[in-house]
Amino acid sequence: MSETVSSSSAKPARFVDPLDFLARYGTLVALALLIVFNLFFTRNFATLQTLNVNLTQVCTIVIVAIGMTMVIGTGGIDLSVGSIMAISGALAPLIFLGTIFPVGNMGVSVAVAIAVALLAATLLGLFNGWLVAKMRIQPIIATLVLFIAGRGIAQVLTNGNLQVFRVPEFQWIGLARPFGIPVQVMIMVVMIVLAAWVLQRTVFGRQILATGGNEKAADLAGIPVDRVKLAVYAISGFCAGVAGLVVIAINSASDANLVGLGMELDAIAAVAVGGTLLVGGKATVIGTLIGALTIQLVRYTLLANGLPEGAALMVQAAIIAGAVWLQQQGRVR
């Protein structure tokens, strides 16, 4: 009898579904394999300089992708982030160079410039949210408005001219390296930690995922869906504003034609590869970081081993397509 009981109570062996495993951990596995490959086959990979190069190249994408993760978590999309970067990057030099009004104390002017640029970026994001939440315009159309008009606004602000500056009080954002760590990497890490905490530990984070998972059910449950949408688009605008300031600080110049160009695609790619569902309802900031690092490291690996830029772009496209396919398989199962 005892044998019968123990046999019936034994738990059946659990088999890991390969597709489910890849959907959950595929990007992390790919990143680990890329690191191992480069350690053995890419010269000078295991150096602080290589690490800094890759981190500085990916940090602005990650900063923008943090806001994009929250927007996509609600089932939306934000095509305007590159243009908002251009506006933020155009506004700040106009203030601290004294183009709008005479510069007094440079430290104060830089602080005002950063505050105004970030406020403008946040308000532009809020405008996107208003179009989506209040005007009921499809997110891809609503954010297309600023995608087109935003860069024009930046060009009008600067008369299409390149703004070159030498202002150490501002440039430290992109050029300083305390303890050997680039400041923009520190900014990225702080923003990742805050965003991950919001998504995982706060009521607002749960509201984001509920809105993206089933908007009607979330509304019936008393979740302020419109306010959630307004908030995530404002956050996306703020993140784009931060990235715009970092980019012009790195380059010591602001070019309204180039700052943030194509950034919306890079950010969406990082979010998709990182495991956030593009239809909403699931969002992971840590996954977005891993996705961005994977895409960057693929590009670095191919270029460092002699493959042309075109090949790197095609491989990146294949990775994005594969990530979205795995997402679909996971949803079906």
Side-chain angles (χ1 to χ4, degrees):
M1 179 67 70
S2 62
E3 289 183 2
T4 304
V5 173
S6 73
S7 173
S8 63
S9 62
K11 293 182 179 179
R14 296 183 63 185
F15 296 96
V16 177
D17 186 331
L19 283 177
D20 184 61
F21 178 83
L22 286 175
R24 289 174 179 269
Y25 305 110
T27 306
L28 185 60
V29 171
L31 180 61
L33 290 174
L34 282 167
I35 292 172
V36 171
F37 175 87
N38 281 288
L39 286 172
F40 282 99
F41 299 106
T42 303
R43 294 181 58 187
N44 301 320
F45 177 74
T47 63
L48 186 59
Q49 180 181 4
T50 299
L51 177 63
N52 278 340
V53 166
N54 280 290
L55 285 177
T56 52
Q57 288 181 354
V58 82
C59 70
T60 50
I61 297 174
V62 174
I63 290 171
V64 174
I66 289 169
M68 189 71 75
T69 301
M70 293 190 176
V71 169
I72 291 177
T74 64
I77 200 78
D78 190 351
L79 299 182
S80 69
V81 288
S83 296
I84 292 177
M85 283 178 65
I87 293 172
S88 172
L91 267 176
L94 288 174
I95 295 172
F96 64 66
L97 291 177
T99 306
I100 296 178
F101 52 82
V103 177
N105 180 279
M106 183 55 73
V108 174
S109 295
V110 166
V112 171
I114 292 173
V116 169
L118 293 181
L119 177 61
T122 304
L123 290 176
L124 289 170
L126 196 62
F127 171 74
N128 284 332
W130 177 75
L131 292 179
V132 173
K134 300 299 185 181
M135 300 299 291
R136 308 299 179 191
I137 299 175
Q138 292 267 345
I140 195 169
I141 302 300
T143 58
L144 190 62
V145 172
L146 271 180
F147 171 81
I148 297 170
R151 193 162 298 277
I153 293 171
Q155 290 167 344
V156 168
L157 286 172
T158 62
N159 292 319
N161 298 323
L162 178 70
Q163 298 183 94
V164 181
F165 50 83
R166 190 175 183 83
V167 181
E169 292 89 344
F170 175 78
Q171 290 171 279
W172 68 271
I173 298 173
L175 302 179
R177 279 171 165 73
F179 311 107
I181 303 173
V183 168
Q184 64 264 36
V185 174
M186 295 180 178
I187 294 171
M188 177 189 75
V189 170
V190 170
M191 293 180 69
I192 288 171
V193 171
L194 286 174
W197 175 77
V198 167
L199 279 175
Q200 296 176 13
R201 302 292 182 182
T202 68
V203 172
F204 177 60
R206 292 191 289 273
Q207 290 175 341
I208 289 174
L209 303 185
T211 299
N214 190 323
E215 184 175 325
K216 289 184 178 179
D219 188 43
L220 290 172
I223 292 174
V225 170
D226 287 353
R227 288 207 297 266
V228 170
K229 289 182 179 180
L230 287 168
V232 295
Y233 281 97
I235 291 169
S236 182
F238 174 83
C239 291
V242 172
L245 296 179
V246 168
V247 167
I248 67 169
I250 292 172
N251 296 328
S252 301
S254 173
D255 187 344
N257 301 301
L258 296 177
V259 172
L261 191 64
M263 181 59 73
E264 57 283 337
L265 301 180
D266 290 336
I268 293 169
V271 173
V273 173
T276 292
L277 293 178
L278 295 181
V279 294
K282 176 185 175 183
T284 164
V285 175
I286 302 301
T288 294
L289 171 63
I290 295 171
L293 290 172
T294 301
I295 294 173
Q296 168 61 27
L297 199 52
V298 165
R299 181 176 181 275
Y300 171 85
T301 302
L302 295 175
L303 296 179
N305 287 277
L307 274 74
E309 177 77 17
L313 292 174
M314 287 189 288
V315 172
Q316 288 177 2
I319 290 172
I320 296 166
V324 174
W325 180 80
L326 283 173
Q327 285 187 12
Q328 293 296 327
Q329 297 303 308
R331 290 182 64 210
V332 169
R333 287 167 180 265

